[in-house]
Amino acid sequence: MKADTDQRPGPTGLMASLGKAGPAAGASIVRSRLFIKYVALLVAVVVLALLANGAFEIWFSYQEHKASLIGIQREQAEGAASKIEQFITEINSQVGWTTQLPWSDSTLDQRRFDALRLLRQVPAITELAQIDASGHEQLRVSRLTMDVVGSGIDYSAKPEFTQAVAHKVYYGPVYFRRESEPYMTLSLAGTRRDTGVSIAQVNLKLIWDVVSKIKVGERGRAYVVDADGRLIAHPDISLVLRNTDMSKLAQVRSARAAGSGEEVQEAEDITGNRVLTAYAQVVPLGWLVFVETPVAEAYAPLYASIQRTGYVLLGALALAFIAGMFLAKRMVGPIQALRSGAARIGRGDLSQRISIKTGDEVEALADQFNDMAGRLEESYADLEKKVDDRTRELTQALEQQTATSEVLQVISSSPGELGPVFDAMLQNAVRICEAKFGNMWVREGDKFRIVAIHGAPQEYRDAMLGDPLVLPDPQSTMGRLVSTGKVVQIDDIATAPTHGMRARIATIELAKAHTLVAVPMLKEKEVVGIIGIYRQEVRPFTEKQIALVESFAAQAVIAIENTRLLRELRQRTDDLSQSLDELRTAQDRLVQTEKLASLGQLTAGIAHEIKNPLNFVNNFSSVSVELLNELSEIVGGLQADDKAREEIADLSDTLRDNLQKIVQHGKRADSIVKNMLLHSREGSGEHRPVDINAIVEESLNLAYHGARAERQGFNITLERSFDPAAGEVDLFPQEITRVLLNLISNGFYAAIKRKGQAANGDFEPILAAATRNLGDRVEIRIRDNGTGIPPEVKDKMFNPFFTTKPAGEGTGLGLSISHDIIVKQHSGSIAVDTEPGSFTEFKIILPRKAAALGTALGKTGGRA
Amino acid sequence: MSLLILVVDDEADVEALFRQQFRRDLRAGRFTMQFAQSAPKALQCISDAGDASLILILSDINMPGMSGLELLPKAKALRPDVPVIMITAYGDAETKRKALERGAEALVTKPIDFTLLRSEIDTRIEKAA
């Protein structure tokens, strides 16, 4: 497994682009941090170890080096010091010899001899002066000058003498001869008081030699300072000759105050360079020998060592880095593999296994992860199976729900229609039951009618729908189902007895059915129908499927019931709306009647007003005829010529004719006015016993005259067949007259219309009126041989305002008012028998006590 | 002393018509006719007529002011012995009932049947004679 598997941009990038960058980027950072952490840790450990080691090494080597250098320097210093000391001691002892002898003249030569021997033996001594006890020079032997004896130079006040006497020995300050050689005065007093003092001038060149011989490293050097800190010897003579004061240097100061503080090991030399320094004391002289090495030189090996250590450190760092990388990779790799594996498992990729062969805890952890993934996979698989099962169940349930809702939708979308509902139910039931076909039966009395078939072969459909009613045999499936009200399932009906049932035989033979389930449609434990579902193979239906069919059966029952209720509701609604229509019509008619009534009153008034002048016209005309006759008689008795008589007779005849025409037309006008008055129903609306034949005759005449008055050239044959036994009926004569007038006028209209339509003019329009005694009732028939009434008109003809006449020729109120008058006012009946193009016959039947039985027509009736 | 027949009608032409219709009788002097164009005038005529001569009153019903039916009882009050025949355009039962109730002899509908009227008058004349 490669640790960088998860660094590819794929899902992480996708996730980042989806705005979930936080955790993913975080993980990456964490990963790199871990890696860096490991590398850094490893490098740090190595570097720290190396650094500590190097530092210790350097520190200690520095210390050791320094110590050894200082040790060497001190040794050399001490060596030099001891040499100087030895040199001085040697000189001391040699000079000491010269002070052995007490001062006397006898000894002078001896002394001289001794002095010369001393000079010879000790080349460093260039001059020896011997001072007697009183402080006067007695002898001076020198290599440079002539010996002087007894010069008597007084030294008694000089430090050479005084100090020597006081301290036995005196070391004078260093001085230079010829500006190049250092010298020192050395005085030595004899052991006895009288031996005087020997003063030797000592050439210190030897010390220089000693000092200049001391070599420490390349640039290390030694020098000597006297007790005052003045430089006595130095490889650089010029410094000595300049009488340099070294006392200001820290090391010199420290050395002079030796024991007062710690030893200064590192300081600056006279030129300001840092030096390592060590010193030794030349005890008798109080001089100090310093050996110094420049720090740069002294530490050069140290620096080299540090440099080496640095190189090693760098190398080690690189090595540590590489190793760290490697190790970190080795360590982080498995961890990342583990992590990515865990992430895959977390993402649900449970089939993946983490392959880590490190043989350590990581591998164990990976194995545990793998185990976990395995178990998860198992449980997932289990879960998936459960989910699958559940999904299947839910799908089934959904399918059933969908089917149910589809059926319900069909029910709701086609209210009152059962066909589509049954079809939808069967279709869904067959589909969900995985069946081949199904049928549906609805009970009609004892029989069952097949109302829906779905999925069955055409022959089966034809056979069943051709004769849809079946009387179930009590032994048959259907019979058992009807008697028990329980679901019947037959695994294979092909092998079950048919009981001679036609439906069963058709099912087996035509539809090739095997497994059947028949579910009753139950309405309060009564089987009102059956749903049959069939398979063409032997495979029993499951309980769920049967339950579904049962639910459909229940819905079917509800649908049937709903349809019934809906039908009733519609019927009632229709009734109500009809009542409403009637009410409206009555209201409209009331309005119309009001109008007509006022019109009638107006007509009556006008008619009356016309009638008076008309009477005068008629009366005066008839009187004029009489007068004309009298005139003729008178003229006849007069003498006149024939011609004049003839002319008078001719004129009076014409006048008479005219007057008679006036009378005739006046009467006609009078008749019309009378009709108008009648028609406007002016007058009382009381009921009374009326002779039926008389009223019919009167109506016929009125109508006839009315029609004639209305239309020029009107003619029709009136046939009367009155039953002499028709007798009287208690009725409202005006109203009945009105009805009869209306019917007769309509008859005239239809008959004349037919005549107008007849191709040749030989059609004879006939209107027949008949009466008949029916005991306690009377029948009146008005029949015309007119155009007849089409069926669609017949249904509506008694509706108010329904008219077939052209606009302006009828109000459409006639028949409806007639209907009301006959049926409501007189409790009679009015019926029509007609054949379009042939005849129309109205038949009115009135009870004898018609008016007493009838209901008042309100205002209309009251006025009638 | 001639016999008098009073005709009450608001139509002026009624006089002409009656006089023409009964011209022979009038010419022959069988009776005289007097015409009143309103009910009050009729009542005046009745009271002016004296006792014997008025034998018949013919009255229209529909008149402006006092109607014939109103006139009827008053006329009867003045001359209970004189028969009154009402003439009307409305021959309906109600009018007839009212007229008979108030003492009318008969109700004649317009247009007037003069033959009938003549015989009626003849009856009165004979009675008076």
Side-chain angles (χ1 to χ4, degrees), chain A residues 76-85 87 204-215 222 224 233 289:
Chain A
Q76 288 184 331
E78 277 170 356
S82 80
K83 274 183 185 168
I84 292 165
E85 210 173 303
F87 168 72
L204 295 178
K205 200 169 180 297
L206 183 106
I207 295 170
W208 285 21
D209 293 342
V210 171
V211 169
S212 57
K213 270 181 197 159
I214 292 171
K215 284 282 179 188
V224 182
V289 180

Side-chain angles (χ1 to χ4, degrees), chain A residues 77 199 264 292 346 492 505 511 708 764 827 839 862:
Chain A
I199 299 171
V264 174
E292 289 181 352
D492 192 356
I505 294 164
R708 280 180 66 90
E764 188 191 6
S827 291
F839 73 93

